[in-house]
Structure formats: C-alpha cells, structure tokens
C-alpha cells in the first residue's frame, strides 16, 4: 500500500527564485488537494483537483502560486518569485471520488518544507 | 463559513492518565468531522471521522470522539495515555471540497 508521496521533502531557496513541488497521490484516488501549514497553525487549504480539472483555486495565496495536474495523476505546485513569507510546510492530500462518506477522507503526504532565505 | 476551535494549544498528561482534547465547530449544518495526528516533520494521519452515523466514533490507537450537536463539539479522548501519543492533534471539518482545520493541540505525555 503506497500512500501519498511528495518530493522534495525539504527545499531551501533564495528569495526571488521559483520552486516546484511534486505530489503523487494514492493511485485509485481521483481527488488531490494542496495545503500550506505555517508554524503553530493548522493546514490551510490552497486548491484541489478532481482528476485533471482544478475545481477550486480562489484560495491560492497570490498569483505567484499555481498548480497543475495534467494527466489526472501526479500534481505540481509552483511558487514564482519566492518571498520569505512563503516559508512553510506544503502538504498534499488525496481522497477517493464519489458521493460516499469515504470521499471526504483525505490522506496526507509527508509534506515539503520550504525555507526561503 | 466553517470554523474549528481547539481549546488549549498544549495539553500535558501523565502516562496512564485520561487524554481529553477539545474541539468545537461552527457550522449551520453538522459537517463531517475528523481528528488527525501529526508527528514531528511528518504529514497528518487520520485518527477517526464522524459522518453522521454513530455519535461515538472509535479510531486507531485507542482514541475515540463523541459528536454532540447541542454543544457543537467533537472532543477527542483516550482512557490511558501512552508516551507514543505525544504529538500534535488537529480537529477538522469538511466542506464539499475542503477541510477546515483548527490550530492544533500539542499533547505532552510525561512518565
């Protein structure tokens, strides 16, 4: 049973650089979510996909943030022109589709910790 | 909009003592509710969920939670704490497509 995987686990970058994170969901899950978690806070929803369609992106923090899921499998989250305030843990989660209660269960990856210097 | 409040950013218990972590939600309609646990530098692991079936929900590692609509609460309990329970715990409420999380409660377990 392979869970949600994220790569890289840690990323250190200089302010102004672009970074891209990858998430591979559980293989049979067609929903994929991105969250940001800062120190002392719970995860904050950013965006989600149903298969390859991005159904909610209004909560992305700024136009420097973008996400893709081109083939409905893995997803990438890109941050352009990083700022020190972008330093956080970026979490990916996936869930089954459908209308049962199980479709609301989100399974999280280990996260990518971003440090912007 | 939903909101989730966790009372107490830190809770300290002795090994073998009762664990009680508090969560209140704000929603016009009882949502689906979840408790997650996060160990240092790891992602979140699902402990248990409430989906409008039984109000007393049992989860992994001996944890359980009771949904009380009249109190808009979903408190997490465990009869006897173990050292391995030391972690951060998050309560969350689901909307159609998102989870809204509380700020988390760090559980400290002393020998």
């Amino acid at each position: 049973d392979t869970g949600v995987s994220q790569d890289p686990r840690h990323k250190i970058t200089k302010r102004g650089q672009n970074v891209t994170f990858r998430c591979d969901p559980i293989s049979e899950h067609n929903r994929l979510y991105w969250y940001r978690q800062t120190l002392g806070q719970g995860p904050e929803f950013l965006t989600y996909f149903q298969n390859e369609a991005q159904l909610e992106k209004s909560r992305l923090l700024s136009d420097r943030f973008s996400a893709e899921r081109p083939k409905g499998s893995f997803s990438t989250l890109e941050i352009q022109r990083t700022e020190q305030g972008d330093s956080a843990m970026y979490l990916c989660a996936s869930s089954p589709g459908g209308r049962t209660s199980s479709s609301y269960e989100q399974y999280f990856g280990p996260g990518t910790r971003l440090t912007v210097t | 909009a939903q909101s989730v409040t966790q009372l107490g950013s830190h809770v300290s218990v002795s090994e073998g003592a009762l664990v009680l972590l508090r969560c209140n939600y704000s929603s016009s309609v009882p949502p689906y509710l979840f408790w997650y646990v996060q160990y240092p530098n790891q992602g979140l692991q699902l402990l248990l969920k409430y989906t409008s079936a039984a109000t007393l929900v049992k989860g992994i590692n001996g944890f359980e939670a009771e949904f009380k609509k009249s109190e808009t609460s979903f408190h997490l309990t465990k009869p006897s704490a173990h050292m391995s329970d030391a972690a951060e715990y998050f309560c969350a409420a689901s909307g159609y497509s998102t989870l809204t999380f509380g700020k988390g409660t760090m559980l400290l377990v002393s020998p």
Side-chain angles (χ1 to χ4, degrees), chain B residues 20-103:
Chain B
L20 171 60
L21 304 182
R22 299 177 187 273
C23 173
N24 289 86
Y25 68 92
S26 172
S27 173
S28 59
V29 176
Y32 290 171
L33 296 164
F34 304 84
W35 276 98
Y36 285 85
V37 61
Q38 186 176 35
Y39 296 97
N41 296 315
Q42 294 187 26
L44 281 73
Q45 180 183 9
L46 180 64
L47 274 179
L48 50 79
K49 65 178 182 181
Y50 166 76
T51 57
S52 71
T55 57
L56 182 62
V57 180
K58 294 187 183 299
I60 62 172
N61 300 338
F63 284 94
E64 61 182 38
E66 185 173 9
F67 173 74
K68 292 187 176 180
K69 182 178 178 181
S70 61
E71 299 177 6
T72 61
S73 69
F74 189 57
H75 301 332
L76 181 71
T77 60
K78 182 173 180 177
S80 177
H82 192 273
M83 295 295 291
S84 61
D85 294 328
E88 190 157 24
Y89 292 79
F90 292 93
C91 181
S94 69
Y96 175 70
S97 58
T98 69
L99 287 176
T100 299
F101 284 87
K103 291 187 175 183

Side-chain angles (χ1 to χ4, degrees), chain A residues 51-95:
Chain A
N51 299 312
E52 66 274 13
Q54 189 173 12
L55 299 186
E56 173 61 68
K57 58 181 179 180
S58 64
R59 309 267 279 274
L60 284 168
L61 301 165
S62 77
D63 58 7
R64 297 184 297 106
F65 288 72
S66 62
E68 292 184 342
R69 195 182 183 197
K71 297 183 179 179
S73 57
F74 74 91
S75 174
T76 57
L77 177 70
E78 182 182 16
I79 309 174
Q80 296 182 329
R81 304 181 303 281
T82 53
E83 302 172 356
Q84 286 188 321
D86 297 333
S87 295
M89 175 79 87
Y90 290 85
L91 295 165
C92 176
S94 68
S95 71

Side-chain angles (χ1 to χ4, degrees), chain A residues 31-42:
Chain A
R31 291 184 185 169
L32 185 149
Y33 312 79
W34 284 100
Y35 292 81
R36 183 180 79 157
Q37 185 179 22
T38 54
L39 202 60
Q41 301 294 320

